[in-house]
Amino acid sequence: MIRIGIYGGTFSPPHNGHIAAAKAFMEQMWLDFLYVIPTATPPHKEMDVPVDASHRLEMCRLAFLGVEGVYVSDMEMRRGGRSYTVDTLRELTGEDRRLFLLCGTDMMLTLDEWREPEEIFKLSYPVYIRREKDALLDKMIVQKIADYNQKYGKVVRRIVTEPIELSSNLVREKLKNGEDVSGLIPASVEKYIRDNHLYV
C-alpha cells in the first residue's frame, strides 16, 4: 500500500512554514511521497493580491526543490475552475493507495462544510497541523475530532510539531511595505517575486 500525502493550498507565496509542515507531515505519517497542489481558484477565500496561478505554481516548484519525496502538481490548475478537494482525491485514489490529506487548524475545523465531506473522509485520512498557539481552540478541536469520528468513522490525526506562526498574508504585507522577508521564504522564491514584481 503506497502512502501518499496531499497538501493543497493557495501558496501565495509559499513560505518556510509550508516547507516545515510538509517535512513533518511526510515524517510523521510515513509517507512514500507528497503532492503539493496549488489551487487554481480557491473556493473558500478571495486573495487580497491576486497572483496568476502560473506564478504560484512556479514559486511552489522553487520552494520545494530539493525536498525529497515532494512533487509539485498542476493537476488542479489543469482541471481549471474552482478547486475542490474531493475532485483531487477522486483523481488520485486507487486500490493500492492510502491518501492522507493535510489541513491547517482552520480548515480542519470546517471540513464538514466542504463539498462532499463524506466522500473526503471515505477517500482519505485527514491530518491537521497547528499553525497557532491559541489555547481557546483546544476544546473546539477535541470536539470536532470526536464529531468527525462519530459521523464519518475516522479519527483526524495531528502532526505534532511546534507551531510556526507564519502566514502568506504576513509575507505579502511585508513585501508590500518593502520590509525584509529573508528567513520567512526561501531565497529563490524571494528572487522570483522581485523579478516578476509580485505583491507590490
Side-chain angles (χ1 to χ4, degrees):
M1 189 69 73
I2 304 168
R3 298 170 71 88
I4 300 173
I6 298 162
Y7 189 9
T10 309
F11 298 110
S12 186
H15 53 67
N16 291 342
H18 290 134
I19 297 167
K23 289 178 177 177
F25 184 31
M26 289 194 71
E27 183 180 322
Q28 294 185 32
M29 292 296 110
W30 299 85
L31 302 178
D32 292 295
F33 59 89
L34 168 62
Y35 283 119
V36 170
I37 309 174
T39 58
T41 305
H44 48 77
K45 61 177 163 182
E46 295 297 324
M47 286 181 276
D48 52 356
V49 185
V51 166
D52 190 77
S54 62
H55 284 310
R56 293 186 287 107
L57 180 67
E58 187 57 33
M59 285 190 286
C60 278
R61 285 175 173 156
L62 291 168
F64 289 95
L65 188 67
V67 182
E68 190 176 351
V70 173
Y71 299 90
V72 176
S73 170
D74 65 350
M75 67 173 65
E76 291 193 356
M77 294 179 181
R78 280 188 282 107
R79 198 160 61 227
R82 289 198 174 273
S83 300
Y84 292 104
T85 298
V86 69
D87 296 328
T88 299
L89 292 173
R90 285 191 176 111
E91 190 171 334
L92 290 173
T93 195
E95 288 184 6
D96 62 339
R97 298 175 169 191
R98 182 165 290 176
L99 305 180
F100 296 83
L101 176 66
L102 185 62
C103 309
T105 310
D106 52 345
M107 296 291 99
M108 189 279 281
L109 289 171
T110 59
L111 266 174
D112 51 351
E113 298 172 21
W114 292 19
R115 174 174 284 198
E116 299 184 57
E118 297 89 351
E119 194 71 3
I120 289 173
F121 276 88
K122 179 182 173 185
L123 295 175
S124 71
Y125 293 82
V127 179
Y128 78 100
I129 188 165
R130 294 291 295 265
R131 295 183 301 191
E132 74 298 307
K133 297 177 181 178
D134 186 355
L136 295 175
L137 289 175
D138 293 352
K139 188 179 287 186
M140 198 183 305
I141 289 168
V142 169
Q143 184 59 56
K144 267 293 183 183
I145 290 172
D147 290 347
Y148 292 153
N149 189 21
Q150 184 176 18
K151 196 170 183 180
Y152 306 114
K154 278 186 182 169
V155 174
V156 177
R157 285 179 280 182
R158 178 183 174 184
I159 301 297
V160 181
T161 186
E162 189 66 24
I164 299 174
E165 297 186 275
L166 175 59
S167 69
S168 294
N169 187 54
L170 172 67
V171 176
R172 290 195 301 271
E173 280 295 310
K174 286 184 174 291
L175 287 165
K176 185 179 176 183
N177 296 329
E179 297 176 41
D180 181 27
V181 293
S182 60
L184 303 181
I185 60 177
S188 57
V189 173
E190 182 177 0
K191 182 179 186 303
Y192 185 90
I193 289 169
R194 306 288 187 199
D195 289 348
N196 291 276
H197 311 291
L198 306 179
Y199 309 113
V200 292

